[in-house]
Amino acid sequence: EVQLVESGGGLVQAGGSLRLSCAASGFTWDDYLIGWFRQVPGKAREGVSCIRSRDGSTYYGDSVKGRFTISSDKNKNMVYLQMNSLKPEDTAVYYCAADPRAQAMEDPSWYDYWGQGTQVTVSS
């Protein structure tokens, strides 16, 4: 059974940093994506970043380029999102998700499995 569990969210002041973690288990896919998405009330879910298992290629949403970094540790089945220079507009619930077929890095509709989410709040 596929499980994705996020951790690391919290409250931070603008300009600060947080590191989110996604613990993944229950699958043996060959080529897949692990992505980070975020959502605020009343808005569509936004692609933040993802990483492809086969070659390690990455995607970053325009709003986080240069500030966030995605990484993985395959031996530990972990994916991380290092968030630096945080802004109040980064405030959202952040979700870890998996696309077993590596269909589209930025589109949440292709991701079949989701974690429970972790709240990130950035104060001004």
Side-chain angles (χ1 to χ4, degrees):
E1 180 175 320
V2 177
Q3 287 193 340
L4 302 170
V5 180
E6 304 98 331
S7 62
L11 175 64
V12 65
Q13 290 191 342
S17 298
L18 286 172
R19 189 193 195 198
L20 305 184
S21 299
C22 175
S25 63
F27 61 89
T28 56
W29 307 315
D30 178 54
D31 184 19
Y32 58 94
L33 305 176
I34 300 294
W36 289 97
F37 297 83
R38 65 188 183 187
Q39 190 167 30
V40 299
K43 297 188 67 176
R45 191 163 294 184
E46 175 188 8
V48 176
S49 183
C50 72
I51 187 165
R52 187 171 185 174
S53 65
R54 177 165 288 175
D55 59 6
S57 60
T58 58
Y59 158 85
Y60 294 96
D62 289 342
S63 63
V64 307
K65 288 179 180 177
R67 299 188 297 121
F68 291 9
T69 303
I70 192 169
S71 62
S72 66
D73 185 337
K74 291 184 177 180
N75 290 330
K76 297 181 179 179
N77 296 316
M78 297 290 291
V79 176
Y80 307 98
L81 184 68
Q82 179 67 44
M83 305 186 296
N84 298 327
S85 302
L86 283 162
K87 305 174 181 179
E89 52 262 44
D90 295 318
T91 295
V93 177
Y94 284 71
Y95 297 90
C96 178
D99 172 6
R101 295 167 292 280
Q103 294 289 325
M105 302 187 81
E106 76 280 10
D107 188 347
S109 66
W110 293 104
Y111 289 74
D112 295 320
Y113 303 98
W114 294 81
Q116 81 288 348
T118 185
Q119 177 71 46
V120 172
T121 302
V122 184
S123 61
S124 59

